[in-house]
Amino acid sequence: MSIVETEKDIVPDVPELGRRTSDDAGALGDDELLARLGYKSEFMREFGNLETFSFAMSIMGMTSSIATTFTTPLSLAGLASVVWCWFAGSIMNVSLGASIAEIVSAFPTAGGLYTATANLVPRAYRPIVGWVVGYLNILGQVSGVASTAWGLSGMILGAVVVCRPDYVIETYHQFLLYTGLLIVHGVLNSVPTKGLARMTRYFVFINIGSAFLIIITLLALTPRSEMHPGSYVFTNVDNQSGWANNGLAIALGLLPVQWTMTDYDAAAHISEEVHRAAIAAPVAIFVAVINTGIIGWILNIVLCVCAGPLTDLPGASGNAFLQIMYLRLGKAGSMVLWSFVCLVASFTVQTALQANSRTVFAFSRDGAFPDRGMFGRMNARTRTPINAVWLVVFLCVLLGVLAFASAIAVNAIFSMCAVALDLSYLIPVVCRRLFANHEEVNFTPGPFYMRGWGKYVNAVMLFWTLFEVTILCFPETYPVTASTMNYSWVITIGVMILSFVWYFAAGKRHYHGPRSNLAPEAK
């Protein structure tokens, strides 16, 4: 097929897409659609519908993510913060999931929203907008991998405390375990795509299954007389944050739902490894958001009902979720179920690292890193970007060093994940509406299309993202000191300033936005 270049190229060096119809993405083959977007896939397509959905569910790691962050809202504002923040956040986050799925359906490439953004702005803005979205997205994804791996290391050491009460968790113990876990997942992500697909296929069953197993077991083993009534669970506010306003204290409990339900575009980053990506990837994103919201809320409510005396939480392990399981199941029972929770966390690290490496690969391929394209190269044997995988591992290890500064500093990584990623999602959605009628912008919907409802859903997304990002940048406790400061916004702004310095100093000379990897004769 000959595609003629014209003034309305989607991005510099990318061939003219022409005017696709809204059915093209569903009717064209994956590689043909990708070619119309200016790319030739360098990956093997080994992910089917089940693997893609499992990947999208695993990236959120519902059970383990709740286990990692449950203590935060509970300790800041009580049970009401736990249940109502999850309820509100999961409903509002549907707008993010739907908005992102719609764009992913139109642009199913490994670059995800980073690549899509360049298609949604006029030519003059493509380099700088692509640069900002790319760096924000990579920062958020690296923070996501790091925070999940750090949470997993804490969960494992928490189990050690339960089994050996005399054991004291030292920072360097957790850092060494954290580094070891990252290396293990780096090795697992260095296998061919077919192996990754086989590993991912069954993640979803363990993720959802472990949640229901914990829900049923806790309800079955908690004496009715010791269950907190609904009137207490849904109204208990115990403001321990130090902030005078109870509403703010409760809102600070948004961290669990926002941290869990992020990295929505992860399925997009494996689009070039997915069959029927324009349909499979967005549907997987949307359904995963719905499932995580509903099942996660039920799990949170059950934990609150079965929590026992709140003064005993979070317990010696420092993890309220684990302490509740220990109270109701005993040592042996809690350790059996906790092993599944840790396994889910491991799946999340695995899938998050895979998605992150694909973004790094695409960004490097486009010349946005000062690496001469080293991290944008594909391993000839595995057909996976191994260099990008190990760069992400290295960056995560560096973030882990923050643990030696203070616990508050390392906790900022959790907030930074949601802040950076959600801002990177907001930009393409706003640009799509802002430049909808611009002659250089040609947004052609894919199979997942909200039609007239889209602008209202996008408006809700805009409001909610600005609100929750503001909350996540607040210090959790008052008064604010150097040791209690929330550094997530400081690190995010710092990284973006450095990226701007690099862009204007040298980057803009060779980076012109996402670019085609098609041979000249194919354009």
Side-chain angles (χ1 to χ4, degrees):
M1 176 179 293
S2 175
I3 304 176
V4 181
E5 294 183 352
T6 74
E7 185 174 281
K8 294 181 66 175
D9 285 351
I10 293 302
V11 289
D13 299 321
V14 175
E16 168 65 26
L17 301 190
R19 288 286 175 180
R20 294 187 290 142
T21 68
S22 61
D23 295 328
D24 272 356
L28 293 175
D30 289 306
D31 291 337
E32 186 178 0
L33 174 59
L34 197 61
R36 289 200 176 191
L37 293 172
Y39 293 95
K40 176 182 178 182
S41 180
E42 299 178 65
F43 295 88
M44 298 295 292
R45 294 189 184 274
E46 301 285 358
F47 280 71
N49 291 338
L50 174 60
E51 291 85 357
T52 308
F53 174 62
S54 182
F55 185 93
M57 280 294 297
S58 297
I59 203 75
M60 296 184 189
M62 175 187 61
T63 309
S64 61
S65 296
I66 293 174
T68 302
T69 55
F70 181 80
T71 304
T72 298
L74 182 67
S75 61
L76 291 176
L79 300 178
S81 179
V82 173
V83 295
W84 288 119
C85 281
W86 188 280
F87 177 77
S90 59
I91 290 178
M92 300 301 281
N93 283 334
V94 172
S95 66
L96 277 83
S99 298
I100 293 164
E102 187 175 49
I103 292 178
V104 168
S105 183
F107 304 102
T109 69
L113 294 184
Y114 152 67
T115 301
T117 303
N119 291 267
L120 299 172
V121 297
R123 180 187 302 278
Y125 303 131
R126 287 168 189 164
I128 188 63
V129 173
W131 188 275
V132 171
V133 171
Y135 270 99
L136 273 175
N137 197 263
I138 288 173
L139 173 62
Q141 287 193 66
V142 171
S143 301
V145 176
S147 55
T148 306
W150 185 263
L152 174 57
S153 64
M155 290 161 62
I156 294 173
L157 293 179
V160 175
V161 171
V162 169
C163 296
R164 292 180 51 190
D166 59 331
Y167 172 70
V168 177
I169 300 176
E170 299 288 351
T171 300
Y172 78 92
H173 292 174
Q174 187 164 357
F175 178 77
L176 290 175
L177 177 58
Y178 163 79
T179 303
L181 289 169
L182 286 171
I183 292 173
V184 168
H185 285 95
V187 172
L188 291 175
N189 265 286
S190 297
V191 303
T193 300
K194 189 172 185 177
L196 292 172
R198 286 177 175 173
M199 283 190 283
T200 305
R201 183 175 301 160
Y202 304 107
F203 286 0
V204 64
F205 300 110
I206 298 176
N207 190 356
I208 296 177
S210 62
F212 280 112
L213 187 58
I214 291 171
I215 289 170
I216 294 170
T217 305
L218 286 178
L219 290 176
L221 296 181
T222 302
R224 190 173 182 82
S225 60
E226 296 181 15
M227 291 184 177
H228 294 304
S231 57
Y232 180 71
V233 168
F234 290 96
T235 61
N236 169 255
V237 177
D238 182 18
N239 187 351
Q240 297 294 322
S241 68
W243 293 101
N245 188 292
N246 282 349
L248 175 59
I250 292 172
L252 290 171
L254 284 171
L255 175 64
V257 67
Q258 293 307 135
W259 184 68
T260 301
M261 298 179 69
T262 193
D263 216 352
Y264 302 91
D265 67 329
H269 295 302
I270 63 166
S271 290
E272 295 179 31
E273 300 164 75
V274 173
H275 294 288
R276 301 173 69 242
I279 299 174
V283 169
I285 292 170
F286 188 72
V287 174
V289 170
I290 299 293
N291 283 353
T292 298
I294 294 173
I295 301 172
W297 195 49
I298 295 172
L299 178 57
N300 273 294
I301 292 174
V302 170
L303 286 167
C304 291
V305 168
C306 303
L310 300 186
T311 53
D312 293 343
L313 301 177
S317 67
N319 188 301
F321 190 116
L322 176 56
Q323 181 63 25
I324 294 170
M325 291 176 59
Y326 178 69
L327 172 66
R328 301 307 179 191
L329 282 70
K331 181 187 295 186
S334 62
M335 287 301 97
V336 170
L337 286 187
W338 194 245
S339 64
F340 285 101
V341 178
C342 292
L343 193 58
V344 171
S346 180
F347 295 161
T348 306
V349 177
Q350 174 72 10
T351 50
L353 178 55
Q354 182 181 350
N356 196 175
S357 66
R358 272 51 177 176
T359 311
V360 170
F361 165 81
F363 213 39
S364 174
R365 180 178 63 184
D366 294 336
F369 287 146
D371 64 342
R372 298 181 182 273
M374 182 176 70
F375 299 111
R377 295 171 189 161
M378 191 72 68
N379 182 276
R381 186 176 64 85
T382 65
R383 297 287 297 276
T384 55
I386 292 180
N387 291 351
V389 168
W390 288 100
L391 174 62
V392 175
V393 170
F394 175 72
L395 293 175
C396 288
V397 172
L398 288 184
L399 279 179
V401 175
L402 287 173
F404 293 100
S406 72
I408 298 295
V410 77
N411 284 343
I413 301 174
F414 288 79
S415 296
M416 186 166 62
C417 167
V419 169
L421 280 175
D422 288 353
L423 287 176
S424 76
Y425 301 152
L426 186 61
I427 294 172
V429 173
V430 170
C431 287
R432 182 203 161 186
R433 295 300 172 183
L434 190 62
F435 299 108
N437 298 318
H438 196 284
E439 61 179 5
E440 292 183 2
V441 176
N442 173 24
F443 176 78
T444 303
F448 189 100
Y449 181 39
M450 293 185 285
R451 301 186 184 278
W453 288 99
K455 59 184 178 182
Y456 302 109
V457 174
N458 294 163
V460 172
M461 176 196 178
L462 173 62
F463 160 77
W464 179 249
T465 300
L466 293 177
F467 173 75
E468 52 95 356
V469 163
T470 302
I471 293 296
L472 292 179
C473 288
F474 260 84
E476 292 181 351
T477 58
Y478 185 86
V480 180
T481 65
S483 61
T484 62
M485 176 67 179
N486 184 339
Y487 291 96
S488 60
W489 65 272
V490 178
I491 299 173
T492 301
I493 292 176
V495 170
M496 294 315 299
I497 289 175
L498 290 175
S499 73
F500 277 124
V501 170
W502 164 244
Y503 176 78
F504 289 107
K508 66 178 182 179
R509 295 181 215 158
H510 52 79
Y511 177 78
H512 306 290
R515 60 192 183 195
S516 174
N517 66 347
L518 292 175
E521 61 272 12
K523 294 185 180 182

